[in-house]
């Protein structure tokens, strides 16, 4: 079991910045990837950024590339999402997730279905 607790959401103006945190606890040693996803009402949960838990490789959705940065604290088992140059279209509930089981298809780390544990979500609202 892995427990995930997010924090850091809020209201910000266009062009502003926020940093989200996700504290992981429990059996994190078997984690393959940690990811940030976001969801708006009526739409699917979309991949934002992914970090390989062991190798530290990072991946970003095209919509956030160059503006968002995913990182990890190895001491505290916490991942972060630094969000800069925020736009109104970034408004969503942001979730962190942990992938602890291998899937039988490539690219599973970029799909919500590829993750086993989720945080409670944190609202990010960007005003125009």
């Amino acid at each position: 079991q892995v427990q995930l607790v997010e924090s850091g959401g809020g209201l910000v103006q266009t062009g502003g910045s926020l940093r989200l945190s996700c504290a992981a606890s429990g059996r994190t040693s078997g984690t393959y990837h940690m990811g940030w996803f976001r969801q708006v009402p009526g739409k699917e949960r979309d991949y934002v950024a992914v970090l390989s838990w062991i190798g530290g490789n990072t991946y970003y959705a095209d919509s956030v590339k160059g503006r968002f940065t995913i990182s990890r604290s190895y001491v505290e088992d916490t991942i972060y999402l630094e969000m800069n140059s925020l736009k109104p279209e970034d408004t969503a509930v942001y979730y962190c997730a942990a992938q602890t089981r291998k899937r039988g298809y490539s690219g599973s780390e970029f799909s919500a279905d590829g993750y086993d544990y989720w945080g409670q979500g944190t609202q990010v609202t960007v005003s125009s």
Side-chain angles (χ1 to χ4, degrees), residues 4 10 13 21 26 29-30 33 48 54 64-65 67 73-74 81 85 90 94 97 101 108-110 114 117-118 122 126:
L4 303 171
Q13 291 186 332
S21 300
S29 60
H33 295 93
V48 174
I54 302 300
V64 306
K65 204 170 291 183
R67 300 188 297 122
S73 165
Y74 286 83
L81 187 67
S85 302
D90 294 318
Y94 284 70
R101 290 185 299 115
S108 62
E109 62 268 33
F110 305 119
Y117 297 97
W118 292 87
T122 185
V126 184

Side-chain angles (χ1 to χ4, degrees), residues 38-45 91-93 95 123-124:
R38 64 188 182 187
Q39 188 171 27
V40 298
K43 294 195 173 181
E44 292 185 350
R45 196 167 291 187
T91 295
V93 177
Y95 298 89
Q123 177 71 45
V124 171

Side-chain angles (χ1 to χ4, degrees), residues 15-70:
S17 299
L18 281 174
R19 188 171 88 152
L20 306 183
S21 300
C22 174
S25 60
R27 298 187 65 179
T28 61
S29 60
T31 299
Y32 292 102
H33 295 93
M34 292 284 291
W36 285 100
F37 287 74
R38 64 188 182 187
Q39 188 171 27
V40 298
K43 294 195 173 181
E44 292 185 350
R45 196 167 291 187
D46 292 330
Y47 138 73
V48 174
V50 166
L51 180 144
S52 301
W53 195 240
I54 302 300
N57 296 328
T58 58
Y59 309 90
Y60 298 93
D62 287 344
S63 59
V64 306
K65 204 170 291 183
R67 300 188 297 122
F68 290 13
T69 303
I70 186 172

